[in-house]
Amino acid sequence: MDVPADPRATWDLPEPGAMPRTAVLEPLVTRVLAPNPSPMTLDGTNTYLVGAPGSGQAVLVDPGPDDPVHLAAVETALAQRDARCTAVLVTHHHGDHAEAALPWAARFGARVAAADPRVAGPGGRVLAPGEQLALAGTTIGVVPTPGHCADHLAFRLESGSVLIGDHVLGRGTSVVTHPEGDVLAYLESLRRVHALGPSALYCGHGPELTEDPGAVLDYYLAHRAMREGQLLAALREGARTVGELVATVYAEVPRTVWPAAAQSTRATLAKLLAEGVVEGPLDGRVRLS
């Protein structure tokens, strides 16, 4: 099966580890990189400050880890924008995005808004799909993007940019694991974001994608279709368990990533089970229907 070409391979993106700590991406947006790099977070978690220039206000999106070094960098970026934080938005509940939401909101005298009431906290705001938030002199649209996890949101800015969280990464592809993730929902969400015609994708991890966001979304869809096709081919050739499927489909991938590949495989099998393409327990022997 042909491997789809990643359009980012020819783009002038910063090398891993070379992203600046703070960067102004457009008049509405400043990015502050958290110091929590890892194989799952890439260079670290991207925290965004969003607000109209001159408004004196900014919205903090995905504050990330509750880290004093990161907090100091965010407060410096706020000062450079001559702005105070008036709200904290969170794309999803994972700790590398949400851990600092409640303590920092308390520090800034702001309120947390998220899809999950546990993230929003007491007195917080639970966001609904399609809401238009009038904050910091601008309007921020709430876009439902479940798939990576059930409570995942993206935020569309007046400029046409989309703060995409973990739905799309600046490098590589996002992980959809079973049982937290849902591949069917993820594919639908990719198409929903594509239909917005984003002018840029500001990712939860990795560099911003500004050259051709639509091409990246097309690649993500093609990559998912390729992996599904590989699993179906392996099933036709006699693989039956998740372990056998991973050993076949990910044979050229380092074994250190096989546990994550197994969770991704279970998520794709769950989609195929829902569609009636395969049958059998995910933790047992699976076969084509």
Side-chain angles (χ1 to χ4, degrees):
M1 181 171 295
D2 292 338
V3 178
D6 186 343
R8 296 166 295 183
T10 61
W11 296 3
D12 185 21
L13 298 177
E15 294 296 321
M19 288 177 61
R21 171 59 61 84
T22 302
V24 177
L25 305 185
E26 59 175 88
L28 281 174
V29 183
T30 298
R31 174 179 49 72
V32 183
L33 178 63
N36 62 333
S38 76
M40 297 302 293
T41 62
L42 305 182
D43 300 70
T45 298
N46 292 324
T47 294
Y48 295 96
L49 300 176
V50 179
S55 68
Q57 301 178 353
V59 176
L60 183 62
V61 181
D62 281 357
D66 188 10
D67 177 271
V69 173
H70 187 42
L71 175 60
V74 167
E75 290 183 327
T76 297
L78 283 167
Q80 289 171 343
R81 295 184 68 93
D82 193 21
R84 62 184 180 87
C85 174
T86 56
V88 177
L89 305 184
V90 183
T91 59
H92 63 296
H93 72 275
H94 289 164
D96 58 314
H97 294 257
E99 181 185 62
L102 290 174
W104 289 13
R107 179 183 180 89
F108 294 130
R111 192 160 64 141
V112 180
D116 188 330
R118 295 169 296 180
V119 175
R125 178 173 179 174
V126 177
L127 296 174
E131 280 194 75
Q132 297 293 311
L133 308 175
L135 295 168
T138 189
T139 300
I140 300 173
V142 178
V143 183
T145 50
H148 177 68
C149 56
D151 67 319
H152 201 286
L153 299 173
F155 298 108
R156 188 174 191 271
L157 308 184
E158 288 182 338
S159 63
S161 302
V162 176
L163 278 65
I164 198 69
D166 279 359
H167 198 64
V168 174
L169 304 181
R171 301 186 184 91
T173 54
S174 185
V175 175
V176 180
T177 63
H178 179 79
E180 183 178 43
D182 183 324
V183 172
L184 278 171
Y186 183 74
L187 295 173
E188 182 179 351
S189 296
L190 284 173
R191 297 185 185 102
R192 181 178 299 116
V193 174
H194 201 309
L196 296 175
S199 59
L201 295 175
Y202 297 149
C203 308
H205 306 286
E208 56 275 9
L209 304 175
T210 60
E211 188 167 329
D212 191 347
V216 177
L217 294 166
D218 286 336
Y219 166 72
Y220 263 55
L221 288 164
H223 180 267
R224 284 284 162 187
M226 178 198 71
R227 286 294 188 219
E228 182 176 310
Q230 289 175 327
L231 288 178
L232 292 173
L235 286 167
R236 284 192 292 269
E237 293 168 5
R240 289 292 177 264
T241 67
V242 168
E244 291 169 354
L245 289 165
V246 169
T248 301
V249 173
Y250 295 89
E252 304 303 320
V253 175
R255 285 178 175 261
T256 53
V257 305
W258 281 19
Q263 291 301 320
S264 179
T265 296
R266 287 187 178 92
T268 302
L269 287 175
K271 169 188 180 289
L272 296 172
L273 280 167
E275 294 172 332
V277 177
V278 302
E279 55 189 28
L282 293 182
D283 290 321
R285 296 184 66 78
V286 182
R287 62 182 182 275
L288 293 170
S289 298

